[in-house]
Amino acid sequence: MQHRVLLITGASSGIGAATARAASREGYKLVLAARSREKLTTLAEELGPENVLAIGCDVTSMDDQQAMVEQAMERFGRIDAVFANAGRGGSPGGFSGADHEAWREMILTNIYGVGLTLQATLPALRRSRGHVLLTGSAAGRATIPGSMYGATKWAVSGIGYNLREELRGSGIRVTLIEPGMVNTPFFDEPPEHALEDRDIANAVTYALGQPEHVDVNEILIRPTPPLE
């Protein structure tokens, strides 16, 4: 485990940062990518710069993603696991009245960005017979009135299922991480009865920690309902 390398997109806060901390405790070398270079630098200093490569990356840019992989390979020589976690929330108003420009940025990040991460990292993962993890959502399993965000997470579920079939026989495992409500920077005010980002990080490290013959396809995590 000491020399395994985990790449995380959307690593500067929330689930990504919590996963970086959890994986660091497990001995992973880390490639942390996000738009916020300042937050990444602070996180890298916390975890030990000798074990962390922090990279500014817009996941909607293939140039950025390819540069991310090139830097990771130059620094560590391999990539054993990729957590495609970068994502954006939606805006209120449903299909009738939501900000359509916000839709554009969310769809590009939540769907197109995931696809670019996969395409950029799969050559390295094929060499390592590695592991792909995707941040889906419980919203990708349910019907939510007017939710374009939910629709993007349905798409992520589809990406995970289809990727698994493409990679069948390659030795690469694919895991969908599907949280319910999580207290992350998506929210201006902390939601009630929500999971914590470290709860999702624990699920990621659980999937990563399984032996090679165990392929954890999906982990659906919801907060325990409140007492009545």
Side-chain angles (χ1 to χ4, degrees):
M1 186 69 74
Q2 182 178 358
H3 301 295
R4 288 174 64 81
V5 178
L6 170 62
L7 185 153
I8 304 172
T9 65
S12 61
S13 63
I15 292 170
T19 301
R21 293 184 176 100
S24 178
R25 291 192 293 271
E26 296 294 326
Y28 278 87
K29 305 290 187 181
L30 297 170
V31 180
L32 305 182
R35 289 174 299 172
S36 176
R37 292 175 183 267
E38 183 177 349
K39 290 181 180 179
L40 282 181
T41 299
T42 300
L43 182 58
E45 290 173 353
E46 173 192 334
L47 300 179
E50 68 279 4
N51 298 316
V52 178
L53 174 61
I55 302 172
C57 177
D58 176 356
V59 294
T60 67
S61 164
M62 190 54 158
D63 288 343
D64 279 14
Q65 297 249 24
Q66 289 175 330
M68 170 187 73
V69 172
E70 289 169 4
Q71 291 177 63
M73 296 300 290
E74 181 178 346
R75 173 73 177 273
F76 295 120
R78 62 187 293 127
I79 298 173
D80 296 284
V82 171
F83 184 24
N85 169 70
R88 296 175 67 110
S91 58
F95 292 105
S96 303
D99 178 358
H100 60 275
E101 290 299 331
W103 277 352
R104 179 194 301 274
E105 295 304 315
M106 179 178 62
I107 291 169
L108 285 173
T109 301
N110 294 7
I111 304 175
Y112 181 62
V114 169
L116 293 184
T117 298
L118 297 177
Q119 195 166 93
T121 60
L122 278 173
L125 290 170
R126 287 185 184 277
R127 289 194 289 273
S128 66
R129 295 182 181 176
H131 197 155
V132 176
L133 303 101
L134 309 172
T135 298
S137 174
R141 287 171 166 253
T143 300
I144 302 174
S147 177
M148 183 66 86
Y149 171 80
T152 68
K153 291 303 182 178
W154 277 85
V156 172
S157 295
I159 289 171
Y161 301 154
N162 295 348
L163 177 67
R164 187 176 297 115
E165 291 308 307
E166 178 182 350
L167 297 177
R168 184 176 294 276
S170 69
I172 300 174
R173 294 178 286 179
V174 178
T175 302
L176 275 164
I177 304 292
E178 300 167 314
M181 186 74 73
V182 183
N183 182 14
T184 70
F186 270 12
F187 300 99
D188 295 328
E189 297 292 333
E192 294 185 2
H193 310 301
L195 299 161
E196 297 296 330
D197 50 22
R198 63 180 177 271
D199 301 324
I200 314 309
N202 289 339
V204 174
T205 55
Y206 167 79
L208 286 170
Q210 298 308 300
E212 289 184 358
H213 71 282
V214 177
D215 187 0
V216 180
N217 288 183
E218 299 182 63
I219 304 181
L220 174 63
I221 316 160
R222 290 190 174 104
T224 303
L227 295 175
E228 297 181 353

